Amino acid sequence: MLPHVWPRAMANGETAMAAAEILATPKQIFTALVTDEVERWWGSAETYRMTGWTADLRVGRNWSVTVRTADGRRLPASGVFLEIETPRRIVQTRRYDWDHPALGRHETTVAYLLEPTARGTRLTICHGGFAGFPDAAAEYAEGWARVLGWLQGYFGERRQVA
């Protein structure tokens, strides 16, 4: 059995970054990130779940989702796709339609880079736009490590690299 590569994350005050190797092809991961498949793996009963995912997967078009928290709140999030290179790269804006405790309604930009490896795919996430919100950058670095762990679990338990 191959060793497990745990997610790693860091923040520099303006940007949060995280990376992990996932036992799936870039195409499988790309699909899990930009379709309603996100509702199957993103979150946990103890934290939050993604529901109502919709996306028009074209540059300049919108995506939206509702974050359903463990205590039952429904928190909408949305954005616009800025770049799409299937299955290698996704860049999108992100904003909340509620007052996030560390970020408010400030819009940020998330870039996903998917690189094939011998075991599957290295997914690197670069989440920028936190200038003036260093606590939010640190919080998001931790959050992205958790998200990558959920994605690893989803593919590790349910799928094999084709």
Side-chain angles (χ1 to χ4, degrees), residues 77-133:
S78 61
V80 174
F81 291 108
L82 302 176
E83 297 178 38
I84 300 170
E85 290 179 47
T86 308
R88 194 181 89 67
R89 182 173 162 84
I90 307 159
V91 180
Q92 63 194 63
T93 63
R94 172 181 283 203
R95 75 176 182 292
Y96 297 103
D97 297 326
W98 52 281
D99 291 322
H100 184 279
L103 193 59
R105 296 178 187 229
H106 182 72
E107 185 173 88
T108 58
T109 302
V110 180
Y112 300 93
L113 178 62
L114 298 93
E115 302 170 285
T117 66
R119 295 178 29 154
T121 303
R122 178 177 329 286
L123 174 57
T124 303
I125 300 167
C126 182
H127 191 165
F130 294 103
F133 299 93

Side-chain angles (χ1 to χ4, degrees), residues 7-9 16-20 33 41-42 48 92 94 96 109-112 125-128 130 137-150:
R8 289 180 257 168
M17 293 190 68
L33 290 169
W41 65 268
W42 195 315
Y48 58 87
Q92 63 194 63
R94 172 181 283 203
Y96 297 103
T109 302
V110 180
Y112 300 93
I125 300 167
C126 182
H127 191 165
F130 294 103
E139 178 183 319
Y140 273 84
E142 290 178 24
W144 283 119
R146 187 171 44 251
V147 167
L148 288 171
W150 291 328

Side-chain angles (χ1 to χ4, degrees), residues 30-50:
F30 188 94
T31 299
L33 290 169
V34 297
T35 69
D36 63 359
E37 188 172 344
V38 77
E39 296 178 38
R40 291 186 224 148
W41 65 268
W42 195 315
S44 70
E46 301 80 34
T47 57
Y48 58 87
R49 301 293 302 185
M50 298 297 191

